[in-house]
Amino acid sequence: MGGPVGRSSTRGEGTRSRVRQAERPGQDEALPEEDGGVPKPRSGTRSRRAAKGGSAGARGRSSRRAPKSGKRRVLRWSASVLAVLILATGGAGYVYYEYLNSNIKKEDLTLGDKQMADHKANAAGQTPLNILLIGSDARDSEANQKLGGAKETFGATPLADVQMLLHLSADRSNLSVISMPRDTMLKMPKCTAPDGKVYPASTRDVQTNESLGRGGPGCTVATWYELTGIRIDHFMMIDFAGVVSMADAIGGVPVCVDANIRSRNADGKGSGLELEKGTTSIKGEQALQWLRTRYGFEDNTDLGRAKAQHMYMNSMVRELRKGTKLTDPAKLMNLAEAATNALTVDKGLDTVKKLYDLAEEFKKVPTKRITMSTMPNVYGTGVNSGRVYPKAGDAEQLFRMVRDDVPLDGKASKRKKPEEPKDPSAPVGEIAVSVRNGTATDALGPASGRAGEVADQLKNAGFGRTSVDSGNVTGVARTGILYPSADLEGDAQAVAKALGVPLSQVKRSTDVSGISLAVGADWREDGAYPVSKGTEKTPDSAGALNGDDDKACMKVNPNYTW
């Protein structure tokens, strides 16, 4: 997975020499080591922006008006070259297109044994799109080994040291990003590798970045789904060498620090990043240093590193949307080759056209509606004191907002009410409801008496035919109400309204014969449902950062200044 980005393959060299005007930038000097270094999976964004550039050029080419300036002529010429090289249906252009397709590495979307739930469409019939970006620390090639890591890590099982979920809203008006710290402790689901090897579900908490070594990126996807309940539609994975090649192809990205920084301590730990106070445009290996820096930012933890990655990602998007880096055909070709060489994707994104189509979807979101966040977390205790766990309440609230397609920037227009069921609800006294206790988690047993307490709430609301199902205590992450057929939809929604449960958590299912309410791990305490009202705000603990914030500066740890 994620081999070198060098030109080791000789396939297609004749065609490439005819169509390519400039070589991709080469590797520079080696990066100093970083303790558990992390690549930043900007690849998905970058490859999408490359496609965006092509689209912009194509639109310019379709105009029949004479260009009014040299820049317009350049844009038209760029578009013509791209049309030949990428969009042509025959000759050298087709060969080059197929060459780019052959660069892309593909793997299974999920290796878990649980089927992911389908998206719930909005009132207009639109559905959201979720992409998991994975940064691999693989040191399995000369290029990756040159870029950092102790020699004893060479050839070791790769770790998913960067994990970012990109949520594109159903109406394509906003983009929400959630980073999960690499040292998050959780239970791993069962994963079956493509070669048939089975990795059983873990019986103890393990670090989330170990998921990649359990058969590949498909296990990282399964781990995310196990924790969050968020459907993952695609993944993109990149390694160290891929980050450098992509950063070089894109060009400089401005970043800011509030003091001089040198990320290296007496023990040799650090990325080697050295910048002066203020804003600097970085690319190539220096960009990788920025994305890997832990020692020197804020409290020297992955939390500061995640914030720095968010700043870089936002800045990169702003730079690409200026369009100034994508008017040169040679740069566009470099970017296309760097992206396809760097990426490992699921089989649903296995062609340049599919990546282009994905880019067109992300292109619809303005930078001011992009929100970066980090999974709310708390530090562990005892042997796991240096690790983090999802913060109870806040983490689930963030996951719920993504599941329910609620923008993290707090700028949602009035949400359309779910369509009224065709069959209205019966009088509440006639609605039969079965309540079960699903509050168990991997770490905790079911909270005592929860099904009975919720059943009493329903009876007090007039639901006299409410009963408790004491035979099923299978845990569920969030409270849900299931109904078997359309004629009971109105009744199920009446139950949800009585308890303050969001209607998005009312679903039709053939697994039940009547209305079944599972009290989930999100409602372990007595009282009203905890996320019924007033919870559309992103938790402060998520550290939200807006994509338009070009004034953000990383705080430098005082022990790493010069």
Side-chain angles (χ1 to χ4, degrees):
M1 287 178 288
V5 183
R7 304 179 181 278
S8 58
S9 173
T10 58
R11 180 173 53 172
E13 281 297 327
T15 300
R16 291 163 61 198
S17 64
R18 289 193 297 270
V19 300
R20 183 167 41 80
Q21 301 299 317
E23 291 291 338
R24 193 170 58 232
Q27 303 285 349
D28 295 326
E29 59 182 346
L31 255 184
E33 295 179 1
E34 160 73 345
D35 176 40
V38 171
K40 181 69 190 74
R42 304 293 190 239
S43 59
T45 302
R46 288 170 180 151
S47 61
R48 293 192 295 268
R49 303 311 172 196
K52 265 184 58 180
S55 175
R59 286 194 300 271
R61 188 171 62 87
S62 66
S63 174
R64 301 195 179 198
R65 296 180 182 178
K68 297 181 179 180
S69 65
K71 181 177 180 181
R72 184 73 59 82
R73 286 191 293 272
V74 169
L75 286 172
R76 290 188 63 186
W77 180 69
S78 301
S80 299
V81 172
L82 284 175
V84 172
L85 295 182
I86 297 178
L87 302 179
T89 57
Y94 177 76
V95 173
Y96 186 72
Y97 173 78
E98 288 301 305
Y99 160 72
L100 291 178
N101 283 340
S102 69
N103 285 344
I104 304 172
K105 298 171 284 294
K106 286 83 68 175
E107 295 205 24
D108 293 335
L109 172 61
T110 178
L111 302 179
D113 58 356
K114 291 185 179 179
Q115 184 176 355
M116 290 188 282
D118 290 334
H119 289 299
K120 187 176 181 66
N122 63 14
Q126 302 165 309
T127 55
L129 190 62
N130 296 321
I131 314 292
L132 186 62
L133 301 184
I134 304 170
S136 165
D137 79 338
R139 296 179 175 94
D140 55 357
S141 67
E142 183 178 350
N144 282 325
Q145 291 167 3
K146 176 184 176 183
L147 291 169
K151 290 185 178 179
E152 61 267 21
T153 66
F154 290 2
T157 302
L159 300 171
D161 269 354
V162 172
Q163 299 175 36
M164 283 188 178
L165 178 70
L166 275 63
H167 171 79
L168 183 61
S169 66
D171 62 4
R172 305 304 189 251
S173 68
N174 64 90
L175 174 68
S176 300
V177 178
I178 300 177
S179 287
M180 185 185 297
R182 65 171 184 170
D183 55 359
T184 299
M185 302 300 291
L186 41 68
K187 294 289 194 304
M188 293 284 175
K190 175 184 175 182
C191 289
T192 303
D195 62 4
K197 182 176 180 178
V198 176
Y199 296 84
S202 65
T203 57
R204 61 180 180 84
D205 289 333
V206 294
Q207 201 162 295
T208 184
N209 62 355
E210 294 181 21
S211 60
L212 188 57
R214 294 166 55 85
C219 193
T220 305
V221 169
T223 301
W224 265 80
Y225 184 68
E226 183 84 5
L227 177 67
T228 69
I230 298 171
R231 177 184 176 85
I232 310 294
D233 298 290
H234 299 290
F235 72 77
M236 295 180 175
M237 184 171 72
I238 191 171
D239 59 14
F240 288 166
V243 171
V244 172
S245 66
M246 291 291 295
D248 275 333
I250 288 175
V253 172
V255 294
C256 178
V257 288
D258 69 353
N260 295 345
I261 181 174
R262 182 180 290 121
S263 178
R264 181 72 68 208
N265 65 13
D267 296 328
K269 293 180 178 179
S271 68
L273 178 71
E274 187 168 322
L275 294 175
E276 293 183 355
K277 177 181 179 179
T279 300
T280 304
S281 182
I282 60 175
K283 65 178 182 177
E285 293 182 5
Q286 195 174 39
L288 180 60
Q289 287 178 322
W290 173 277
L291 297 168
R292 296 177 63 205
T293 294
R294 175 158 62 102
Y295 294 100
F297 285 154
E298 299 194 343
D299 60 354
N300 298 332
T301 68
D302 283 327
L303 305 181
R305 172 156 49 193
K307 185 179 294 185
Q309 292 167 353
H310 294 163
M311 287 184 183
Y312 179 94
M313 197 169 179
N314 278 339
S315 182
M316 180 187 66
V317 171
R318 290 194 299 267
E319 287 297 295
L320 288 174
R321 291 199 171 181
K322 291 178 181 177
T324 56
K325 299 180 185 300
L326 299 177
T327 57
D328 184 339
K331 288 183 179 179
L332 282 170
M333 292 167 62
N334 285 339
L335 187 56
E337 290 203 28
T340 55
N341 269 302
L343 288 174
T344 298
V345 300
D346 68 276
K347 295 173 183 177
L349 289 178
D350 58 354
T351 67
V352 172
K353 183 182 184 304
K354 290 176 182 178
L355 291 171
Y356 172 85
D357 290 343
L358 182 64
E360 287 297 289
E361 294 301 301
F362 279 90
K363 178 180 174 182
K364 298 172 183 177
V365 180
T367 55
K368 65 182 179 181
R369 297 300 311 279
I370 297 174
T371 305
M372 303 280 173
S373 69
T374 300
M375 180 196 76
N377 56 83
V378 294
Y379 283 107
T381 58
V383 294
N384 292 324
S385 59
R387 306 292 185 260
V388 300
Y389 287 82
K391 184 176 182 179
D394 284 8
E396 171 56 27
Q397 182 176 324
L398 193 68
F399 300 152
R400 182 191 64 79
M401 291 178 73
V402 170
R403 286 194 303 260
D404 292 348
D405 199 25
V406 178
L408 297 187
D409 61 7
K411 298 178 181 178
S413 56
K414 291 185 179 180
R415 302 186 71 196
K416 296 180 179 179
K417 296 181 179 179
E419 293 182 10
E420 290 296 324
K422 295 180 180 178
D423 186 74
S425 68
V428 295
E430 299 177 7
I431 298 176
V433 186
S434 175
V435 183
R436 71 177 184 86
N437 188 343
T439 58
T441 68
D442 289 334
L444 301 170
S448 178
R450 292 300 300 126
E453 200 277 336
V454 173
D456 287 343
Q457 288 190 32
L458 283 174
K459 290 177 181 177
N460 291 336
F463 291 81
R465 297 182 61 192
T466 299
S467 61
V468 173
D469 177 4
S470 58
N472 184 354
V473 292
T474 303
V476 292
R478 60 174 178 156
T479 299
I481 301 169
L482 303 180
Y483 62 92
S485 56
D487 61 314
L488 291 179
E489 182 180 7
D491 295 356
Q493 289 193 3
V495 172
K497 291 174 182 177
L499 295 172
V501 174
L503 293 184
S504 61
Q505 291 166 223
V506 178
K507 299 183 183 298
R508 185 172 177 174
S509 172
T510 57
D511 294 334
V512 296
S513 57
I515 297 175
S516 175
L517 189 158
V519 184
D522 58 345
W523 199 5
R524 289 179 61 89
E525 303 294 331
D526 291 347
Y529 187 59
V531 292
S532 56
K533 293 182 180 180
T535 56
E536 301 298 295
K537 180 178 179 294
T538 302
D540 292 338
S541 54
L545 179 67
N546 185 267
D548 247 7
D549 186 358
D550 59 359
K551 305 299 182 184
C553 258
M554 278 305 298
K555 183 178 180 180
V556 175
N557 187 291
N559 294 322
Y560 289 83
T561 59
W562 54 276

